[in-house]
Amino acid sequence: MNKRTLLSAALGLSLAASAANATVWDFTFAGPGDTGSGTFTTAGGSSPFTITGITGTVDGNAITALLAPGVFAVNDNILYSPAPYLDLNGVSFVANGVDLNLFFLSGTVYGLENPTFTAIITSFTVTEAAGSPEPATWAIMLTGLFGVGAALRTRRRPAAA
């Protein structure tokens, strides 16, 4: 392969790489007797975002699952940016084997409910986490870099006289 072909292939692979259409958000909340923190993963695009994943803890217990929309009452798993970050339907998940729903009430007040009790959340923050490339993006980028390196390493041989 000649340099021009290798450089063209490397450039094509580099241009083909696209960022994944997911956004990660850090969240924290606190209220009398309840605290939590973690991350929401949302589908790309613009607000409102659909929450597709959640990790973190609530009162020291690991969040183990995101519940599908409509599983906990009328949860819709929608995130808004800027605040208020949730709506009255909220986002539902499982922590310590208990279904929980975190939702917006009014002003700066949120609620955290389980099937038998609702707690008041007086502090809730959400910030977009710094992004990092997906593994596929790294693979394509490295392939392009190796292609450029291989193209530069090859030398033209002098023509026989």
Side-chain angles (χ1 to χ4, degrees):
M1 252 185 200
N2 65 27
K3 284 185 189 179
R4 189 173 288 163
T5 304
L6 283 173
L7 286 172
S8 296
L11 181 61
L13 285 172
S14 297
L15 293 175
S18 63
N21 233 1
T23 306
V24 177
W25 306 83
D26 295 322
F27 71 87
T28 60
F29 65 84
D34 291 293
T35 61
S37 64
T39 61
F40 295 127
T41 303
T42 61
S46 58
S47 185
F49 302 93
T50 300
I51 298 171
T52 58
I54 186 171
T55 62
T57 61
V58 174
D59 296 332
N61 298 303
I63 296 172
T64 55
L66 176 69
L67 297 176
V71 170
F72 191 108
V74 293
N75 71 298
D76 57 12
N77 297 353
I78 300 293
L79 178 70
Y80 298 88
S81 181
Y85 304 109
L86 301 174
D87 55 22
L88 288 170
N89 299 322
V91 58
S92 296
F93 50 90
V94 178
N96 198 30
V98 177
D99 293 355
L100 298 170
N101 187 44
L102 181 62
F103 61 98
F104 175 71
L105 280 172
S106 176
T108 59
V109 179
Y110 292 78
L112 179 66
E113 65 181 335
N114 66 33
T116 60
F117 182 76
T118 300
I120 299 299
I121 300 301
T122 55
S123 171
F124 182 59
T125 61
V126 177
T127 56
E128 188 172 353
S132 63
E134 295 285 325
T137 302
W138 278 107
I140 290 172
M141 183 176 67
L142 289 173
T143 301
L145 288 174
F146 284 124
V148 169
L152 294 175
R153 185 178 169 103
T154 59
R155 291 187 226 144
R156 288 189 181 218
R157 302 193 191 277

